[in-house]
Amino acid sequence: MNNLLQGKNIVVMGVANHRSIAWGIAQSLHHAGANLIFTYQGDRLRENVAELAAKLGGESLLVNCDVTKDEDVEAAFGVIKEKVGVIHGLAHCIAFAKTEELEGEFVNTSRDGYALAQDISAFSLVAVARAARPLMTEGGSIVTMTYLGGERVVQNYNVMGVAKAALDASVRYLANDLGKENIRVNAISAGPIRTLAAKGIRNFNAVLKEIEEKAPLRRTIDQSEVGDTALFLMSHLSRGITGEILHVDAGYSIIGG
C-alpha cells in the first residue's frame, strides 16, 4: 500500500484536530504516497491544521476555504491550480448544524438551522466538486463523509440526518455528471467516532454502547478504518465504483431495530 497513490495530489477538507475523521483519512493517504493539500476555515483552525500537517513531514500546501462563500471556494481552488496544477482526489469531510437543532423533535427545526445544515453539509460538496472539476484533468476520485442518520431515523440527529440524505443524493447526481470525465464520486458512511462534531450529539455515549452490543463485529470503529477505506476509494483499486455509499460501521447498518 506504500505507493498506491504515489505522485497523486489530493485535497483534504475538514481537518479540525487529531480526532477528526479527515485526519485519519489524511494519514492513510500520506502513507500511500499522496501529496496532500489541506483546506481550513479561518486563522483559528489554520494553526491546528499546520501543526498536524507538519507531523507528516515535507511541505503540505495549506489553503483557506470558507465553503459557505462561492468566491472563497473559487479562490481556494485557484490557489491550488496555481501551486500544484492537477489534482487527482478530494476528501470532503465537512458538516455542521447548530447544537440546538440536534435535540428534541425534528419538527421544531428552525428555517435558518435547516438552511445552514444543508448549505454546509450538503451543498458544499456540489460547490467544491464544481471547483475541483477543471483541475481533475486526469480523472480522479471525490469522497465525502455521510452517516446512517441520512438513511433512517437516529435519535437526536434530526436536521443533520436530512442534510446527509441530501448529501447521499448529491453523490449519485454528481457521479452521473462527472463520470464521463473519469471522475468518481462516492461516500463513506462511518460509524460513530469520538470527534469534535460528535460532542454536539446528545447521549452520544449511549449510541456507542448500543453499537458495541449490537454491531456484528461487537465494537465501534476508529479513524484509521475510515482512512483506509478512503485510500481504497482514491486508488485505482476502486476504479469501477462510483455513486456508492460504503458503510464502515462494524456492520451496524445491517441490523434491524
Side-chain angles (χ1 to χ4, degrees):
M1 291 209 309
N2 286 349
N3 58 3
L4 262 183
L5 297 177
Q6 199 68 45
K8 303 296 185 185
N9 300 320
I10 299 180
V11 180
V12 179
M13 311 183 78
V15 173
N17 59 32
H18 72 283
R19 290 183 182 273
S20 298
I21 289 175
W23 177 238
I25 290 173
Q27 288 175 291
S28 291
L29 301 182
H30 169 71
H31 293 320
N35 305 316
L36 299 181
I37 300 107
F38 292 95
T39 71
Y40 61 91
Q41 184 185 343
D43 292 336
R44 188 176 61 83
L45 283 177
R46 188 188 193 285
E47 197 174 318
N48 286 3
V49 177
E51 193 176 308
L52 287 169
K55 292 181 179 179
L56 300 178
E59 286 285 318
S60 293
L61 178 62
L62 272 58
V63 183
N64 185 50
C65 183
D66 181 345
V67 295
T68 65
K69 299 173 181 171
D70 286 338
E71 61 272 21
D72 254 44
V73 175
E74 287 170 20
F77 281 87
V79 170
I80 293 168
K81 183 176 183 180
E82 182 188 325
K83 299 288 186 182
V84 300
V86 175
I87 60 173
H88 305 92
L90 185 147
H92 172 273
C93 311
I94 297 170
F96 181 79
K98 293 179 181 178
T99 305
E100 59 266 30
E101 306 286 7
L102 301 176
E103 56 186 39
E105 294 185 320
F106 169 70
V107 72
N108 293 321
T109 303
S110 70
R111 186 180 295 272
D112 286 350
Y114 186 98
L116 183 67
Q118 288 284 345
D119 188 14
I120 298 177
S121 310
F123 181 74
S124 65
L125 176 67
V126 182
V128 300
R130 185 164 59 232
R133 181 186 196 176
L135 280 67
M136 301 181 84
T137 53
E138 298 173 11
S141 175
I142 297 173
V143 177
T144 190
M145 297 304 308
T146 190
Y147 180 56
L148 188 62
E151 299 173 55
R152 61 190 204 214
V153 174
V154 172
Q155 204 65 33
N156 296 318
Y157 204 57
N158 293 1
V159 71
M160 187 59 84
V162 177
K164 291 298 189 187
L167 181 72
D168 294 351
S170 299
V171 164
R172 292 186 282 271
Y173 278 91
L174 288 169
N176 186 54
D177 282 352
L178 304 181
K180 57 186 175 288
E181 293 159 37
N182 197 30
I183 299 170
R184 299 179 294 108
V185 187
N186 293 289
I188 297 172
S189 181
I193 296 174
R194 289 184 191 278
T195 62
L196 192 64
K199 283 186 176 180
I201 299 170
R202 188 181 286 274
N203 298 327
F204 185 69
N205 286 340
V207 173
L208 293 178
K209 188 170 185 293
E210 181 179 353
I211 287 167
E212 287 169 358
E213 291 172 356
K214 292 186 177 179
L217 294 180
R218 299 296 191 273
R219 63 174 178 83
T220 55
I221 60 150
D222 62 31
Q223 283 95 328
S224 70
E225 291 169 303
V226 180
D228 287 349
T229 304
L231 164 57
F232 164 70
L233 288 173
M234 291 289 184
S235 78
H236 72 279
L237 297 178
S238 61
R239 58 195 176 276
I241 301 173
T242 195
E244 287 290 337
I245 298 169
L246 269 65
H247 293 84
V248 183
D249 61 357
Y252 182 75
S253 57
I254 69 168
I255 300 299

